[in-house]
Amino acid sequence: MSDSRIHPLDTRIPPLVVLLLHLILSWGLAQLFGRVELSEAIRLCGAFLLSSVGVGVALAGVIAFRRHKTSVDPVHIDKASTLVTSGIYRITRNPMYVGFLCLLLAFNWYLAAPVGGLAALIFIGYLTRFQIKPEERFLLNCYGQAYRDFLATTRRWL
């Protein structure tokens, strides 16, 4: 977190848009590199389970923010009014992004395209660099030691 450089992409593209772009990338990679043979039932079941986890984790993050009456707007991080460290935030500092990652993995499972794992890695890298790290710098400035304690006890992703 010592990287304090500001980049023009920092918190500019909403994470939901980033997810949609990576879903398209996954689909394109599946078209280029093919898929593995899986039954429709296995594809649907796996996709349903992963997407259910994703939606549940992301919603838990949104609900925790709402309970604490703080903003869920990832583009305008300066609207955050409270440091939330309870509930799902005891497991991950970024449940909404973990939920999005699960949705991306669910889509790749449904496509039966292992190459989609590349899109998932790019998604993690992009969000970490251009969304999460700028958020962390902001929260560190706002909440100081309380946020340092949170960083020390809760993982960024899982």
Side-chain angles (χ1 to χ4, degrees):
M1 235 179 46
S2 62
D3 183 9
S4 62
R5 294 174 291 155
I6 296 175
H7 189 278
L9 289 177
D10 285 355
T11 71
R12 295 295 180 249
I13 302 174
L16 186 56
V17 172
V18 174
L19 172 63
L20 293 173
L21 292 172
H22 284 83
L23 290 169
I24 293 167
L25 174 62
S26 292
W27 180 85
L29 289 171
Q31 302 309 306
L32 284 173
F33 296 101
R35 304 166 187 210
V36 297
E37 193 65 38
L38 285 178
S39 73
E40 182 77 8
I42 290 173
R43 289 175 41 225
L44 284 172
C45 184
F48 176 77
L49 289 173
L50 283 167
S51 60
S52 295
V53 168
V55 168
V57 169
L59 278 177
V62 171
I63 290 167
F65 270 31
R66 295 283 188 222
R67 279 191 184 135
H68 287 86
K69 296 178 176 44
T70 192
S71 173
V72 295
D73 184 347
V75 175
H76 299 100
I77 57 177
D78 56 327
K79 291 182 180 179
S81 60
T82 304
L83 178 62
V84 180
T85 60
S86 59
I88 191 73
Y89 287 90
R90 288 180 290 196
I91 299 167
T92 175
R93 297 193 309 255
N94 299 288
M96 292 172 241
Y97 305 149
V98 169
F100 286 178
L101 176 60
C102 287
L103 292 174
L104 180 58
L105 293 172
F107 183 65
N108 282 294
W109 183 274
Y110 179 75
L111 291 175
V115 72
L118 180 60
L121 291 174
I122 295 169
F123 177 80
I124 291 168
Y126 181 91
L127 273 187
T128 298
R129 168 59 184 92
F130 296 110
Q131 189 66 43
I132 295 172
K133 286 187 176 184
E135 288 175 359
E136 289 174 345
R137 286 191 302 268
F138 172 80
L139 292 169
L140 194 55
N141 281 339
C142 285
Y143 300 105
Q145 189 58 47
Y147 190 66
R148 278 188 199 85
D149 294 343
F150 182 53
L151 290 173
T153 60
T154 309
R155 296 176 71 141
R156 182 180 281 152
W157 284 92
L158 282 180

